[in-house]
């Protein structure tokens, strides 16, 4: 089976490096499936899950947005933050979700940045989804 090299990199360093058979994720323009030999492209990513298929198993990485670069033999994902399912602290994600929901539930408050709270909520939900593998 043909493979393609994948690196998921954050400002703190590499999170995932492996040769995989397929990468799938959500770009801002929609779902993307990348197989070895895919044409070169660059696409902004949503907060979402990157699925990495190899040897009949699928590794899941939660990414908090970023940039996907595809070359025929290499996929690079540059993300603000990214975690493997096994690295996610569920209690921390639950606390972040609760904080964000509380902020969003306040009807009107000049001191609350709703966009920021909405993104924090999406990151938390994404992390929880990855740990529950219901994606
Ligand atoms: P929090 O409010 O809990 O910090 P956040 O969404 O604001 O959540 P980020 O700014 O996206 O956090 O990430 C900061 C750093 O913490 C990154 O290195 C990220 O990988 C890590 N991180 C955030 N939440 C978790 C989590 N639930 N489990 C493991 N690592 C996490």
């Amino acid at each position: 089976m043909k493979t393609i090299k994948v690196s998921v990199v954050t400002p703190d360093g590499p999170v995932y490096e492996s040769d995989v058979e397929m990468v799938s994720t959500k770009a801002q323009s929609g779902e993307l499936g990348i197989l070895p030999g895919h044409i070169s492209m660059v696409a902004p990513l949503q907060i979402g899950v990157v699925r990495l298929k190899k040897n009949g198993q699928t590794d899941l990485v939660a990414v908090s947005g970023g940039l996907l670069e595809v070359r025929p033999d290499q996929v690079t994902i540059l993300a603000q933050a990214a975690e493997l399912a096994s690295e996610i602290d569920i209690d921390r994600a639950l606390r972040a979700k609760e904080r964000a929901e509380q902020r969003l539930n306040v009807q009107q408050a000049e001191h609350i940045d709703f966009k920021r709270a909405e993104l924090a909520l999406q990151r938390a939900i994404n992390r929880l989804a990855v740990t529950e593998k219901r994606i």
Side-chain angles (χ1 to χ4, degrees), residues 1-94:
M1 178 89 56
K2 276 193 179 173
T3 60
I4 187 165
K5 205 176 276 300
V6 180
S7 306
V8 181
V9 184
T10 74
D12 297 329
V15 170
Y16 185 95
E17 295 211 33
S18 187
D19 292 308
V20 308
E21 290 147 19
M22 181 168 169
V23 182
S24 39
T25 191
K26 222 183 230 173
Q28 286 182 4
S29 54
E31 282 287 336
L32 268 181
I34 298 147
L35 295 166
H38 194 285
I39 54 161
S40 297
M41 62 175 278
V42 174
L45 293 180
Q46 295 186 14
I47 293 171
V49 181
V50 179
R51 297 183 204 79
L52 303 132
K53 211 172 134 194
K54 60 169 184 181
N55 304 327
Q57 70 168 59
T58 304
D59 294 330
L60 301 178
V61 179
V63 297
S64 299
L67 208 60
L68 172 89
E69 186 199 24
V70 182
R71 282 182 274 134
D73 60 345
Q74 165 95 46
V75 174
T76 308
I77 292 172
L78 302 169
Q80 277 305 314
E83 304 89 31
L84 275 163
S86 58
E87 293 168 351
I88 291 173
D89 177 340
I90 294 176
D91 286 343
R92 177 173 169 180
L94 284 170

